[in-house]
Amino acid sequence: MSTLGGDGLVGSTADAVARRSYGKLVAFLAARTRDVAAAEDALSEAFAAALADWPRNGCPANPEGWLLTVARRKFIDVARGRKRGEIVAEEIRAMAEGFEAAAANDAGIPDQRLALMFACAHPAIDEGIRAPLMLQTVMGLDAAMIASAFLISPATMGQRLVRAKSKIRQAGIPFRIPEQEELPERLETVLDAIYAAFAEGWSDAAGTDVARRDLAEEAIFLGRVVVELLPDEPEAMGLLALMLHAEARRRARRDVLGEYVPLDEQDTGVWDARMIEEAEGLLLRASGLGSIGRYQLEGAIQSAHVCRRRTGRANWVEVVQLYDALLAISGSPVVAINRALAIAESEGAWAGLEAMERVAGDGRLAEYQPYWAARAELLARSGALDEAQRAYEMAIGLERDEAVRRWLQERVARLGNVS
Amino acid sequence: MEYLLVLYAEEAGWMNMTKEQQQQGMAAYMAYTEALKKAGVLRGSNRLAPVAAATTVRVTNGKSQVLNGPFLESKEQLGGYYLIDVADLDAALAWAARCPGAGHGIVEVRPTWAAAVAKA
């Protein structure tokens, strides 16, 4: 949290507590009343009080408990304002006692962040706002920063976040981990929202846009929370592995001059070995749990790419098989494109183009840059240079990253040299 | 929290059923109502007469205007409701999904004003 700059040790303690505890405190305060906005307001006052108090009196032994004690006073005032009647007074007293007991407990307050995530990604919440909502309530990111990362105006993002929080409170969306029978379906919406946040962060390859680069890290943090709190869910591990594999290659995606470097030309020495190792471990653990899914397959595809680049052994047939399985689950045209690229590697450009033809009519692809880039690449390789040039031009027109644009322009120039 | 399950369906669908099919449909609703009662969550329910019986009233500038027919002319019409009192939205959604109306129409799940505002 940027508001917690502070000086020296106190500042860094406050920052560390903020990162580790923010979502826990929001979740704990809001779980009973479902009033996320009130919990956030109460917490921001508590953090402000900490910044005033801690430099003078030193960091408390139990900073989380300290923050909860301050936040609960403000929070209960709000709850009192909203509620009426005697039964309600009793309810508030019980709530206050619960907060006090938790604040005094050195073992820390119960971790209900996962329940909060399930509320944020509830099917009753608009799909597009689930990831921003999670980033704000669990990670404490402010609306302006989230808005900038998602390319939405801050005012609009702010409104949509407020509306989503009212929906949680007014519709009575519960803070709980769903029962076993509905867990897979509901977990998917949580994982999808985390991945949406990651994808936004990942799209800024150069890492020049701080808001977006941080988003990838925040998403990995969320992914870790899910794996930690739901340790037997293979898809949660699959997602975390997928994100780690991608993140491990972040620095290799640009050369020293800031130019785009495609996967097959990246310097594998720049890849983050620790992240790759962790991702591989997660995939292995997940595969032992006997239930395959989208994120495990995508993680496995990343793993196969890493393996090929490191060993120099082509494994495209294996990659195509993974895409076959992924396509069967998702039916996504995006998957179909990547599958076509893998087919082109193992069977030739024409085979790849043929596989791509099957989704070419999908309207969703008309403005999807990777489709045009992939198509252009395969057309160029198969010698259909005019068509390739047209496809490259579409891809260039749709690309928002400058380095990738330059790289594509170079490809077009090379077409000219061949013909 | 109190939720109103608002049932919308095509009236023609019911009219076009055979006598046996209608009886079967009635039995399904009765069983559902009974289940809500047994669970102790039912606060009220009713089935409405077809929209042909509906009349709308609006008062503008002190003048009342009475029109024949429902407020909204749409394929699916409001046909009935259940008022239930359950813990949260998930519980309400679970009951809505069991409602026979969800199978042949649409069930809208709305918290009551008091539930949404006062009980937070």
Side-chain angles (χ1 to χ4, degrees), chain A residues 112-125 130 133-134 137-138 168 173-179 182-191 226 229-230 233, chain B residues 90:
Chain A
Q112 290 172 312
R113 279 177 297 180
L114 195 58
L116 174 60
M117 283 194 236
F118 274 106
C120 292
H122 195 279
I125 299 288
R130 289 175 196 161
L133 190 57
M134 247 185 227
T137 61
V138 185
I168 290 180
I173 291 175
F175 279 52
R176 66 178 177 84
I177 295 156
E179 305 290 335
E182 47 171 358
L183 186 61
E185 211 177 303
R186 293 284 310 279
L187 180 61
E188 203 181 306
T189 66
V190 171
L191 299 180
V226 177
L229 298 176
L230 278 178
E233 287 302 323
Chain B
D90 281 358

mmCIF file of all heavy atoms in Angstrom, chain A residues 112-125 130 133-134 137-138 168 173-179 182-191 226 229-230 233, chain B residues 90:
data_model
loop_
_atom_site.group_PDB
_atom_site.id
_atom_site.type_symbol
_atom_site.label_atom_id
_atom_site.label_comp_id
_atom_site.label_asym_id
_atom_site.label_seq_id
_atom_site.Cartn_x
_atom_site.Cartn_y
_atom_site.Cartn_z
ATOM 1 N N GLN A 112 -9.758 -15.570 6.400
ATOM 2 C CA GLN A 112 -10.973 -15.784 5.614
ATOM 3 C C GLN A 112 -10.856 -15.161 4.226
ATOM 4 O O GLN A 112 -11.856 -14.871 3.578
ATOM 5 C CB GLN A 112 -12.184 -15.207 6.366
ATOM 6 C CG GLN A 112 -12.515 -16.020 7.612
ATOM 7 C CD GLN A 112 -13.577 -15.373 8.476
ATOM 8 O OE1 GLN A 112 -13.512 -14.184 8.776
ATOM 9 N NE2 GLN A 112 -14.550 -16.144 8.892
ATOM 10 N N ARG A 113 -9.598 -14.975 3.795
ATOM 11 C CA ARG A 113 -9.404 -14.343 2.485
ATOM 12 C C ARG A 113 -10.014 -15.161 1.354
ATOM 13 O O ARG A 113 -10.523 -14.621 0.376
ATOM 14 C CB ARG A 113 -7.908 -14.151 2.203
ATOM 15 C CG ARG A 113 -7.326 -12.935 2.869
ATOM 16 C CD ARG A 113 -5.862 -12.843 2.615
ATOM 17 N NE ARG A 113 -5.159 -13.998 3.192
ATOM 18 C CZ ARG A 113 -3.844 -14.175 3.123
ATOM 19 N NH1 ARG A 113 -3.096 -13.303 2.481
ATOM 20 N NH2 ARG A 113 -3.283 -15.219 3.681
ATOM 21 N N LEU A 114 -9.958 -16.476 1.505
ATOM 22 C CA LEU A 114 -10.506 -17.317 0.440
ATOM 23 C C LEU A 114 -12.029 -17.136 0.337
ATOM 24 O O LEU A 114 -12.575 -17.036 -0.759
ATOM 25 C CB LEU A 114 -10.150 -18.775 0.717
ATOM 26 C CG LEU A 114 -10.337 -19.719 -0.452
ATOM 27 C CD1 LEU A 114 -9.504 -19.282 -1.643
ATOM 28 C CD2 LEU A 114 -9.974 -21.136 -0.047
ATOM 29 N N ALA A 115 -12.674 -17.054 1.501
ATOM 30 C CA ALA A 115 -14.123 -16.817 1.512
ATOM 31 C C ALA A 115 -14.431 -15.478 0.839
ATOM 32 O O ALA A 115 -15.402 -15.351 0.082
ATOM 33 C CB ALA A 115 -14.640 -16.833 2.943
ATOM 34 N N LEU A 116 -13.579 -14.492 1.099
ATOM 35 C CA LEU A 116 -13.756 -13.180 0.465
ATOM 36 C C LEU A 116 -13.596 -13.293 -1.051
ATOM 37 O O LEU A 116 -14.353 -12.707 -1.825
ATOM 38 C CB LEU A 116 -12.739 -12.190 1.050
ATOM 39 C CG LEU A 116 -12.662 -10.793 0.426
ATOM 40 C CD1 LEU A 116 -13.988 -10.051 0.535
ATOM 41 C CD2 LEU A 116 -11.561 -9.962 1.094
ATOM 42 N N MET A 117 -12.615 -14.082 -1.483
ATOM 43 C CA MET A 117 -12.409 -14.269 -2.926
ATOM 44 C C MET A 117 -13.615 -14.945 -3.568
ATOM 45 O O MET A 117 -14.015 -14.597 -4.675
ATOM 46 C CB MET A 117 -11.167 -15.123 -3.178
ATOM 47 C CG MET A 117 -9.875 -14.362 -3.013
ATOM 48 S SD MET A 117 -8.517 -15.328 -3.727
ATOM 49 C CE MET A 117 -7.435 -15.427 -2.342
ATOM 50 N N PHE A 118 -14.193 -15.925 -2.861
ATOM 51 C CA PHE A 118 -15.377 -16.587 -3.413
ATOM 52 C C PHE A 118 -16.547 -15.614 -3.517
ATOM 53 O O PHE A 118 -17.353 -15.711 -4.445
ATOM 54 C CB PHE A 118 -15.757 -17.815 -2.577
ATOM 55 C CG PHE A 118 -15.032 -19.052 -2.990
ATOM 56 C CD1 PHE A 118 -14.006 -19.578 -2.218
ATOM 57 C CD2 PHE A 118 -15.349 -19.693 -4.185
ATOM 58 C CE1 PHE A 118 -13.317 -20.715 -2.615
ATOM 59 C CE2 PHE A 118 -14.666 -20.835 -4.586
ATOM 60 C CZ PHE A 118 -13.646 -21.346 -3.802
ATOM 61 N N ALA A 119 -16.618 -14.659 -2.582
ATOM 62 C CA ALA A 119 -17.678 -13.647 -2.657
ATOM 63 C C ALA A 119 -17.428 -12.729 -3.854
ATOM 64 O O ALA A 119 -18.345 -12.418 -4.617
ATOM 65 C CB ALA A 119 -17.755 -12.851 -1.360
ATOM 66 N N CYS A 120 -16.173 -12.309 -4.028
ATOM 67 C CA CYS A 120 -15.831 -11.390 -5.130
ATOM 68 C C CYS A 120 -16.070 -12.028 -6.498
ATOM 69 O O CYS A 120 -16.406 -11.344 -7.457
ATOM 70 C CB CYS A 120 -14.366 -10.967 -5.041
ATOM 71 S SG CYS A 120 -13.992 -9.925 -3.635
ATOM 72 N N ALA A 121 -15.849 -13.338 -6.598
ATOM 73 C CA ALA A 121 -15.987 -14.017 -7.887
ATOM 74 C C ALA A 121 -17.296 -14.797 -7.961
ATOM 75 O O ALA A 121 -17.436 -15.723 -8.748
ATOM 76 C CB ALA A 121 -14.806 -14.950 -8.112
ATOM 77 N N HIS A 122 -18.264 -14.401 -7.141
ATOM 78 C CA HIS A 122 -19.568 -15.085 -7.147
ATOM 79 C C HIS A 122 -20.232 -14.902 -8.518
ATOM 80 O O HIS A 122 -20.100 -13.843 -9.126
ATOM 81 C CB HIS A 122 -20.451 -14.490 -6.049
ATOM 82 C CG HIS A 122 -21.639 -15.321 -5.719
ATOM 83 N ND1 HIS A 122 -22.789 -15.291 -6.476
ATOM 84 C CD2 HIS A 122 -21.865 -16.221 -4.730
ATOM 85 C CE1 HIS A 122 -23.670 -16.132 -5.955
ATOM 86 N NE2 HIS A 122 -23.135 -16.706 -4.887
ATOM 87 N N PRO A 123 -20.941 -15.935 -9.001
ATOM 88 C CA PRO A 123 -21.594 -15.786 -10.309
ATOM 89 C C PRO A 123 -22.573 -14.612 -10.360
ATOM 90 O O PRO A 123 -22.883 -14.122 -11.455
ATOM 91 C CB PRO A 123 -22.335 -17.117 -10.499
ATOM 92 C CG PRO A 123 -21.962 -17.998 -9.378
ATOM 93 C CD PRO A 123 -21.076 -17.278 -8.436
ATOM 94 N N ALA A 124 -23.033 -14.127 -9.207
ATOM 95 C CA ALA A 124 -23.961 -12.986 -9.212
ATOM 96 C C ALA A 124 -23.230 -11.660 -9.428
ATOM 97 O O ALA A 124 -23.857 -10.627 -9.592
ATOM 98 C CB ALA A 124 -24.742 -12.938 -7.891
ATOM 99 N N ILE A 125 -21.897 -11.679 -9.417
ATOM 100 C CA ILE A 125 -21.103 -10.468 -9.681
ATOM 101 C C ILE A 125 -20.707 -10.475 -11.159
ATOM 102 O O ILE A 125 -20.302 -11.510 -11.682
ATOM 103 C CB ILE A 125 -19.822 -10.463 -8.810
ATOM 104 C CG1 ILE A 125 -20.166 -10.459 -7.313
ATOM 105 C CG2 ILE A 125 -18.908 -9.298 -9.168
ATOM 106 C CD1 ILE A 125 -20.729 -9.161 -6.805
ATOM 107 N N ARG A 130 -14.901 -8.935 -11.443
ATOM 108 C CA ARG A 130 -14.450 -9.867 -10.398
ATOM 109 C C ARG A 130 -12.968 -9.694 -10.076
ATOM 110 O O ARG A 130 -12.582 -9.642 -8.906
ATOM 111 C CB ARG A 130 -14.723 -11.313 -10.811
ATOM 112 C CG ARG A 130 -16.199 -11.651 -10.797
ATOM 113 C CD ARG A 130 -16.436 -13.060 -11.325
ATOM 114 N NE ARG A 130 -17.835 -13.235 -11.669
ATOM 115 C CZ ARG A 130 -18.281 -14.191 -12.474
ATOM 116 N NH1 ARG A 130 -17.440 -15.049 -13.013
ATOM 117 N NH2 ARG A 130 -19.567 -14.290 -12.733
ATOM 118 N N LEU A 133 -12.236 -6.372 -8.337
ATOM 119 C CA LEU A 133 -12.789 -6.413 -6.978
ATOM 120 C C LEU A 133 -11.865 -7.182 -6.031
ATOM 121 O O LEU A 133 -11.605 -6.774 -4.905
ATOM 122 C CB LEU A 133 -14.171 -7.076 -7.034
ATOM 123 C CG LEU A 133 -15.035 -7.025 -5.777
ATOM 124 C CD1 LEU A 133 -15.269 -5.593 -5.336
ATOM 125 C CD2 LEU A 133 -16.377 -7.716 -6.043
ATOM 126 N N MET A 134 -11.349 -8.297 -6.517
ATOM 127 C CA MET A 134 -10.428 -9.091 -5.711
ATOM 128 C C MET A 134 -9.148 -8.328 -5.429
ATOM 129 O O MET A 134 -8.627 -8.344 -4.328
ATOM 130 C CB MET A 134 -10.053 -10.339 -6.505
ATOM 131 C CG MET A 134 -10.557 -11.591 -5.906
ATOM 132 S SD MET A 134 -9.879 -12.911 -6.913
ATOM 133 C CE MET A 134 -11.339 -13.836 -7.111
ATOM 134 N N THR A 137 -10.099 -5.652 -2.728
ATOM 135 C CA THR A 137 -10.469 -6.069 -1.375
ATOM 136 C C THR A 137 -9.431 -6.981 -0.732
ATOM 137 O O THR A 137 -9.217 -6.902 0.466
ATOM 138 C CB THR A 137 -11.825 -6.795 -1.367
ATOM 139 O OG1 THR A 137 -11.719 -7.955 -2.184
ATOM 140 C CG2 THR A 137 -12.925 -5.912 -1.898
ATOM 141 N N VAL A 138 -8.795 -7.835 -1.505
ATOM 142 C CA VAL A 138 -7.835 -8.770 -0.911
ATOM 143 C C VAL A 138 -6.431 -8.172 -0.873
ATOM 144 O O VAL A 138 -5.685 -8.359 0.083
ATOM 145 C CB VAL A 138 -7.808 -10.113 -1.674
ATOM 146 C CG1 VAL A 138 -6.907 -11.107 -0.959
ATOM 147 C CG2 VAL A 138 -9.208 -10.679 -1.815
ATOM 148 N N ILE A 168 -22.784 -7.326 -3.180
ATOM 149 C CA ILE A 168 -22.423 -8.348 -2.184
ATOM 150 C C ILE A 168 -23.255 -8.163 -0.919
ATOM 151 O O ILE A 168 -23.819 -9.110 -0.371
ATOM 152 C CB ILE A 168 -20.918 -8.260 -1.832
ATOM 153 C CG1 ILE A 168 -20.078 -8.726 -3.018
ATOM 154 C CG2 ILE A 168 -20.601 -9.098 -0.590
ATOM 155 C CD1 ILE A 168 -18.581 -8.674 -2.774
ATOM 156 N N ILE A 173 -24.649 -12.029 -0.699
ATOM 157 C CA ILE A 173 -23.659 -12.999 -1.198
ATOM 158 C C ILE A 173 -22.795 -13.460 -0.025
ATOM 159 O O ILE A 173 -22.202 -12.645 0.665
ATOM 160 C CB ILE A 173 -22.796 -12.361 -2.299
ATOM 161 C CG1 ILE A 173 -23.661 -12.133 -3.550
ATOM 162 C CG2 ILE A 173 -21.584 -13.238 -2.632
ATOM 163 C CD1 ILE A 173 -22.975 -11.400 -4.666
ATOM 164 N N PRO A 174 -22.770 -14.776 0.220
ATOM 165 C CA PRO A 174 -22.094 -15.257 1.431
ATOM 166 C C PRO A 174 -20.569 -15.262 1.336
ATOM 167 O O PRO A 174 -20.017 -15.387 0.246
ATOM 168 C CB PRO A 174 -22.618 -16.683 1.567
ATOM 169 C CG PRO A 174 -22.930 -17.091 0.175
ATOM 170 C CD PRO A 174 -23.374 -15.848 -0.554
ATOM 171 N N PHE A 175 -19.923 -15.115 2.484
ATOM 172 C CA PHE A 175 -18.473 -15.260 2.593
ATOM 173 C C PHE A 175 -18.197 -16.677 3.066
ATOM 174 O O PHE A 175 -18.097 -16.923 4.255
ATOM 175 C CB PHE A 175 -17.915 -14.279 3.646
ATOM 176 C CG PHE A 175 -17.735 -12.889 3.149
ATOM 177 C CD1 PHE A 175 -18.767 -12.229 2.523
ATOM 178 C CD2 PHE A 175 -16.532 -12.221 3.312
ATOM 179 C CE1 PHE A 175 -18.613 -10.940 2.057
ATOM 180 C CE2 PHE A 175 -16.362 -10.928 2.850
ATOM 181 C CZ PHE A 175 -17.404 -10.280 2.226
ATOM 182 N N ARG A 176 -18.100 -17.579 2.136
ATOM 183 C CA ARG A 176 -17.777 -18.941 2.562
ATOM 184 C C ARG A 176 -17.214 -19.726 1.399
ATOM 185 O O ARG A 176 -17.401 -19.369 0.231
ATOM 186 C CB ARG A 176 -19.013 -19.646 3.136
ATOM 187 C CG ARG A 176 -20.095 -19.883 2.125
ATOM 188 C CD ARG A 176 -21.262 -20.628 2.753
ATOM 189 N NE ARG A 176 -22.327 -20.778 1.769
ATOM 190 C CZ ARG A 176 -22.377 -21.741 0.861
ATOM 191 N NH1 ARG A 176 -21.440 -22.663 0.822
ATOM 192 N NH2 ARG A 176 -23.361 -21.786 -0.009
ATOM 193 N N ILE A 177 -16.521 -20.795 1.766
ATOM 194 C CA ILE A 177 -15.993 -21.691 0.740
ATOM 195 C C ILE A 177 -17.123 -22.654 0.384
ATOM 196 O O ILE A 177 -17.695 -23.277 1.268
ATOM 197 C CB ILE A 177 -14.752 -22.417 1.282
ATOM 198 C CG1 ILE A 177 -13.660 -21.374 1.522
ATOM 199 C CG2 ILE A 177 -14.282 -23.486 0.319
ATOM 200 C CD1 ILE A 177 -12.639 -21.777 2.533
ATOM 201 N N PRO A 178 -17.476 -22.737 -0.906
ATOM 202 C CA PRO A 178 -18.641 -23.556 -1.288
ATOM 203 C C PRO A 178 -18.479 -25.027 -0.905
ATOM 204 O O PRO A 178 -17.367 -25.522 -0.738
ATOM 205 C CB PRO A 178 -18.688 -23.395 -2.806
ATOM 206 C CG PRO A 178 -17.933 -22.157 -3.099
ATOM 207 C CD PRO A 178 -16.883 -22.054 -2.051
ATOM 208 N N GLU A 179 -19.629 -25.698 -0.783
ATOM 209 C CA GLU A 179 -19.635 -27.119 -0.460
ATOM 210 C C GLU A 179 -18.924 -27.907 -1.569
ATOM 211 O O GLU A 179 -18.859 -27.460 -2.708
ATOM 212 C CB GLU A 179 -21.077 -27.636 -0.361
ATOM 213 C CG GLU A 179 -21.965 -26.884 0.612
ATOM 214 C CD GLU A 179 -21.570 -27.122 2.051
ATOM 215 O OE1 GLU A 179 -20.961 -28.185 2.327
ATOM 216 O OE2 GLU A 179 -21.830 -26.249 2.890
ATOM 217 N N GLU A 182 -20.335 -28.100 -5.223
ATOM 218 C CA GLU A 182 -20.294 -26.951 -6.137
ATOM 219 C C GLU A 182 -18.912 -26.316 -6.198
ATOM 220 O O GLU A 182 -18.690 -25.355 -6.922
ATOM 221 C CB GLU A 182 -21.363 -25.920 -5.767
ATOM 222 C CG GLU A 182 -21.428 -25.583 -4.309
ATOM 223 C CD GLU A 182 -22.353 -24.395 -4.001
ATOM 224 O OE1 GLU A 182 -22.910 -23.806 -4.932
ATOM 225 O OE2 GLU A 182 -22.480 -24.072 -2.817
ATOM 226 N N LEU A 183 -17.972 -26.870 -5.428
ATOM 227 C CA LEU A 183 -16.651 -26.252 -5.340
ATOM 228 C C LEU A 183 -15.926 -26.131 -6.683
ATOM 229 O O LEU A 183 -15.414 -25.061 -7.007
ATOM 230 C CB LEU A 183 -15.780 -26.997 -4.312
ATOM 231 C CG LEU A 183 -14.425 -26.358 -4.034
ATOM 232 C CD1 LEU A 183 -14.580 -24.954 -3.466
ATOM 233 C CD2 LEU A 183 -13.613 -27.210 -3.069
ATOM 234 N N PRO A 184 -15.887 -27.219 -7.495
ATOM 235 C CA PRO A 184 -15.124 -27.098 -8.749
ATOM 236 C C PRO A 184 -15.599 -25.943 -9.617
ATOM 237 O O PRO A 184 -14.789 -25.154 -10.111
ATOM 238 C CB PRO A 184 -15.378 -28.440 -9.439
ATOM 239 C CG PRO A 184 -15.767 -29.377 -8.356
ATOM 240 C CD PRO A 184 -16.470 -28.552 -7.326
ATOM 241 N N GLU A 185 -16.916 -25.812 -9.762
ATOM 242 C CA GLU A 185 -17.470 -24.779 -10.617
ATOM 243 C C GLU A 185 -17.176 -23.382 -10.059
ATOM 244 O O GLU A 185 -16.801 -22.466 -10.791
ATOM 245 C CB GLU A 185 -18.980 -24.989 -10.690
ATOM 246 C CG GLU A 185 -19.606 -24.576 -11.986
ATOM 247 C CD GLU A 185 -21.096 -24.908 -11.956
ATOM 248 O OE1 GLU A 185 -21.431 -26.106 -11.743
ATOM 249 O OE2 GLU A 185 -21.885 -23.987 -12.100
ATOM 250 N N ARG A 186 -17.352 -23.245 -8.752
ATOM 251 C CA ARG A 186 -17.145 -21.938 -8.131
ATOM 252 C C ARG A 186 -15.664 -21.581 -8.072
ATOM 253 O O ARG A 186 -15.288 -20.423 -8.226
ATOM 254 C CB ARG A 186 -17.770 -21.913 -6.725
ATOM 255 C CG ARG A 186 -19.298 -22.017 -6.713
ATOM 256 C CD ARG A 186 -19.947 -20.700 -7.106
ATOM 257 N NE ARG A 186 -19.389 -19.603 -6.350
ATOM 258 C CZ ARG A 186 -19.750 -19.289 -5.119
ATOM 259 N NH1 ARG A 186 -20.707 -19.958 -4.531
ATOM 260 N NH2 ARG A 186 -19.169 -18.294 -4.498
ATOM 261 N N LEU A 187 -14.825 -22.590 -7.842
ATOM 262 C CA LEU A 187 -13.388 -22.331 -7.799
ATOM 263 C C LEU A 187 -12.911 -21.833 -9.161
ATOM 264 O O LEU A 187 -12.044 -20.969 -9.262
ATOM 265 C CB LEU A 187 -12.627 -23.601 -7.394
ATOM 266 C CG LEU A 187 -11.106 -23.453 -7.304
ATOM 267 C CD1 LEU A 187 -10.714 -22.422 -6.251
ATOM 268 C CD2 LEU A 187 -10.438 -24.796 -6.986
ATOM 269 N N GLU A 188 -13.521 -22.367 -10.216
ATOM 270 C CA GLU A 188 -13.146 -21.953 -11.565
ATOM 271 C C GLU A 188 -13.327 -20.439 -11.732
ATOM 272 O O GLU A 188 -12.487 -19.777 -12.335
ATOM 273 C CB GLU A 188 -14.016 -22.707 -12.562
ATOM 274 C CG GLU A 188 -13.407 -22.816 -13.939
ATOM 275 C CD GLU A 188 -14.338 -23.554 -14.885
ATOM 276 O OE1 GLU A 188 -14.758 -24.682 -14.544
ATOM 277 O OE2 GLU A 188 -14.649 -22.994 -15.941
ATOM 278 N N THR A 189 -14.408 -19.896 -11.194
ATOM 279 C CA THR A 189 -14.623 -18.451 -11.359
ATOM 280 C C THR A 189 -13.566 -17.659 -10.587
ATOM 281 O O THR A 189 -13.135 -16.602 -11.030
ATOM 282 C CB THR A 189 -16.036 -18.010 -10.914
ATOM 283 O OG1 THR A 189 -16.179 -18.205 -9.523
ATOM 284 C CG2 THR A 189 -17.121 -18.736 -11.655
ATOM 285 N N VAL A 190 -13.150 -18.177 -9.433
ATOM 286 C CA VAL A 190 -12.090 -17.509 -8.659
ATOM 287 C C VAL A 190 -10.778 -17.551 -9.448
ATOM 288 O O VAL A 190 -10.099 -16.535 -9.622
ATOM 289 C CB VAL A 190 -11.905 -18.182 -7.279
ATOM 290 C CG1 VAL A 190 -10.663 -17.644 -6.576
ATOM 291 C CG2 VAL A 190 -13.134 -17.956 -6.407
ATOM 292 N N LEU A 191 -10.446 -18.738 -9.953
ATOM 293 C CA LEU A 191 -9.189 -18.891 -10.701
ATOM 294 C C LEU A 191 -9.212 -18.040 -11.969
ATOM 295 O O LEU A 191 -8.213 -17.405 -12.325
ATOM 296 C CB LEU A 191 -8.948 -20.371 -11.046
ATOM 297 C CG LEU A 191 -8.820 -21.319 -9.850
ATOM 298 C CD1 LEU A 191 -8.574 -22.750 -10.330
ATOM 299 C CD2 LEU A 191 -7.713 -20.899 -8.887
ATOM 300 N N VAL A 226 -4.703 -19.142 -2.628
ATOM 301 C CA VAL A 226 -5.668 -20.208 -2.915
ATOM 302 C C VAL A 226 -5.026 -21.580 -2.699
ATOM 303 O O VAL A 226 -5.615 -22.457 -2.062
ATOM 304 C CB VAL A 226 -6.222 -20.097 -4.357
ATOM 305 C CG1 VAL A 226 -7.167 -21.250 -4.654
ATOM 306 C CG2 VAL A 226 -6.941 -18.774 -4.552
ATOM 307 N N LEU A 229 -4.625 -22.266 1.027
ATOM 308 C CA LEU A 229 -5.846 -22.495 1.803
ATOM 309 C C LEU A 229 -6.693 -23.649 1.257
ATOM 310 O O LEU A 229 -7.552 -24.176 1.954
ATOM 311 C CB LEU A 229 -6.678 -21.214 1.884
ATOM 312 C CG LEU A 229 -5.970 -20.039 2.586
ATOM 313 C CD1 LEU A 229 -6.819 -18.779 2.528
ATOM 314 C CD2 LEU A 229 -5.638 -20.384 4.027
ATOM 315 N N LEU A 230 -6.460 -24.019 -0.013
ATOM 316 C CA LEU A 230 -7.152 -25.181 -0.589
ATOM 317 C C LEU A 230 -6.078 -26.105 -1.163
ATOM 318 O O LEU A 230 -5.925 -26.202 -2.380
ATOM 319 C CB LEU A 230 -8.103 -24.753 -1.715
ATOM 320 C CG LEU A 230 -9.493 -24.233 -1.374
ATOM 321 C CD1 LEU A 230 -10.223 -23.836 -2.650
ATOM 322 C CD2 LEU A 230 -10.319 -25.250 -0.599
ATOM 323 N N GLU A 233 -6.511 -28.848 -4.335
ATOM 324 C CA GLU A 233 -7.199 -28.540 -5.586
ATOM 325 C C GLU A 233 -6.200 -28.458 -6.743
ATOM 326 O O GLU A 233 -5.459 -27.483 -6.872
ATOM 327 C CB GLU A 233 -7.971 -27.218 -5.458
ATOM 328 C CG GLU A 233 -9.209 -27.327 -4.592
ATOM 329 C CD GLU A 233 -10.194 -28.369 -5.109
ATOM 330 O OE1 GLU A 233 -10.341 -28.492 -6.347
ATOM 331 O OE2 GLU A 233 -10.801 -29.058 -4.272
ATOM 332 N N ASP B 90 -26.737 -17.731 -1.711
ATOM 333 C CA ASP B 90 -26.520 -19.097 -2.189
ATOM 334 C C ASP B 90 -27.688 -20.013 -1.827
ATOM 335 O O ASP B 90 -28.118 -20.831 -2.639
ATOM 336 C CB ASP B 90 -25.211 -19.673 -1.628
ATOM 337 C CG ASP B 90 -24.006 -19.141 -2.392
ATOM 338 O OD1 ASP B 90 -24.215 -18.374 -3.362
ATOM 339 O OD2 ASP B 90 -22.869 -19.486 -2.026
#
